[in-house]
Amino acid sequence: MSQYRTFTAKDAVEYARQFGGMGNPDSLVDAQEVGDGNLNLVFKIFDVDGVSQRVVKQALPYVRCVGESWPLTLDRARLEAETLLEHARHCPQHTARILHYDPALAAMVMEDLSDHAIWRGELMAGKAYPQAAAQLGEYLAQTLFHTSDFFLPAQQKKQQVSRFINPEMCAITEELFFNEPYEQHERNSYPRALERLVSSLRYDNELKRAVAALKHRFFSHAEALLHGDVHSGSIFVAQNRLKVIDAEFGFYGPMGFDIGSALGNLLLNYCALPGLLSPREAADAREQRFRQLRELWWGFSEGFSNLVAEKSYDRALACSGYASDFLDKVWRDALGYCGTELIRRSVGMSPVADLTQIADEAMRTECIRHAITLGRSLILLSNHIIDVEALIARIRQNG
């Protein structure tokens, strides 16, 4: 199998038999296509007892939800696999395990995570995973530190930047995060009742200047190897366990982007909870989201600081106090990117189930309104919200 072709279920079974590392590969007999994303085929591979044992993922040469009119590079499969392999070197406990990948077929075999649940659905149901946010913070600290100038020798870091250049996938992010929500675009999607609010984004020059600065940093600040798409639908959780998947947007960029995306998805859920749960349950779940904001940021910032103190390669960057200064900058970036995540998921092409699955139309509209206005505030006030406690206080003040 050396030439690219789109896998059938039968192809996926054969691929898993060959490369899945099973002691008895012939026990793999069936596949089910379970991909619900925009870019890939994903097959669960089952044994003779009907138990899912492996996952086969293959990149398609176009955006799945649009079709062949939006072509995409197949090299993203290599970038995804190599990003996850690189992250697994530094945080294996929280990174999905890649067993094999083939750049020519744009395919990989991964560990099966059927004993986990997708975090987004669990957040929507108000289910608590007390360690998840701290574990995600640990993942971010380990992966971002170990792929940055704080740890890598300068020449090696520059080689890594070149290795993980990902222009086509970055172009998608650049459009969906920083351009389309702030202009009239056919891919935007939001309730008609919010037209006036959404239209105001297009004419808010202060906001658009702040978004331009965030986009420019996304272009130019190659600080660490990012996952590039850290949202709650790309995270699997179980009791005391967390695994991150789907790193096809991986590239060297500003650390605050990954952190802001993660914070943003917790806040999207926060905005949606009144439409998903009873008032008492929603109130309790919202307090849980505040705890998770703290734990995620503390898990990252404390973990990163400790790693700098213990392992920093560069003598200048190890200077006392510099890591704290740098983390202040990362925090400001994270708040801005958090705001862009809130807005693009509320206005743009890729809405989240947290909002779209609210049954009551009026409530859904109000929850989306809240996400948009919160996102705008975070972008504009990112230099004035000094820490996570100030963030929580401001959200409480605004409802």
Side-chain angles (χ1 to χ4, degrees), residues 194-258:
L194 296 179
E195 179 60 43
R196 187 172 180 179
L197 174 61
V198 174
S199 178
S200 73
L201 303 178
R202 303 171 197 147
Y203 300 100
D204 188 334
N205 194 55
E206 182 184 11
L207 175 66
K208 293 176 73 172
R209 285 173 61 191
V211 171
L214 290 164
K215 184 178 183 181
H216 194 198
R217 291 198 287 279
F218 184 86
F219 281 153
S220 58
H221 288 203
E223 293 172 350
L225 177 58
L226 307 188
H227 175 282
D229 198 22
V230 183
H231 61 78
S232 53
S234 293
I235 297 168
F236 277 76
V237 292
Q239 289 303 324
N240 299 316
R241 289 178 290 165
L242 176 142
K243 291 272 190 171
V244 178
I245 64 168
D246 288 352
E248 60 209 332
F249 286 84
F251 85 113
Y252 264 80
M255 295 186 193
F257 184 79
D258 268 4

Side-chain angles (χ1 to χ4, degrees), residues 85-214:
L85 289 167
E86 185 67 25
H87 283 185
R89 289 181 58 205
H90 310 298
C91 195
Q93 67 274 31
H94 300 314
T95 307
R97 187 160 56 102
I98 304 298
L99 303 168
H100 173 83
Y101 83 98
D102 182 337
L105 282 169
M108 67 187 76
V109 185
M110 304 171 61
E111 67 174 319
D112 181 80
L113 294 170
S114 294
D115 59 342
H116 290 58
I118 297 173
W119 200 18
R120 186 180 305 285
E122 303 299 274
L123 291 170
M124 290 170 61
K127 294 182 181 179
Y129 290 83
Q131 305 303 315
Q135 289 172 338
L136 182 55
E138 179 187 11
Y139 164 82
L140 292 166
Q142 293 288 342
T143 59
L144 297 178
F145 170 81
H146 283 104
T147 60
S148 76
D149 291 297
F150 285 91
F151 179 72
L152 293 175
Q155 186 171 356
Q156 185 179 345
K157 159 71 180 331
K158 290 175 175 62
Q159 290 170 345
Q160 288 285 80
V161 172
S162 176
R163 175 185 167 200
F164 286 99
I165 287 176
N166 195 356
E168 288 197 22
M169 302 306 286
C170 285
I172 294 174
T173 300
E174 290 150 15
E175 285 296 315
L176 297 187
F177 272 80
F178 308 116
N179 288 353
E180 292 178 10
Y182 308 96
E183 60 192 18
Q184 285 189 316
H185 199 284
E186 62 185 7
R187 289 197 289 262
N188 288 342
S189 177
Y190 50 87
R192 294 185 64 181
L194 296 179
E195 179 60 43
R196 187 172 180 179
L197 174 61
V198 174
S199 178
S200 73
L201 303 178
R202 303 171 197 147
Y203 300 100
D204 188 334
N205 194 55
E206 182 184 11
L207 175 66
K208 293 176 73 172
R209 285 173 61 191
V211 171
L214 290 164

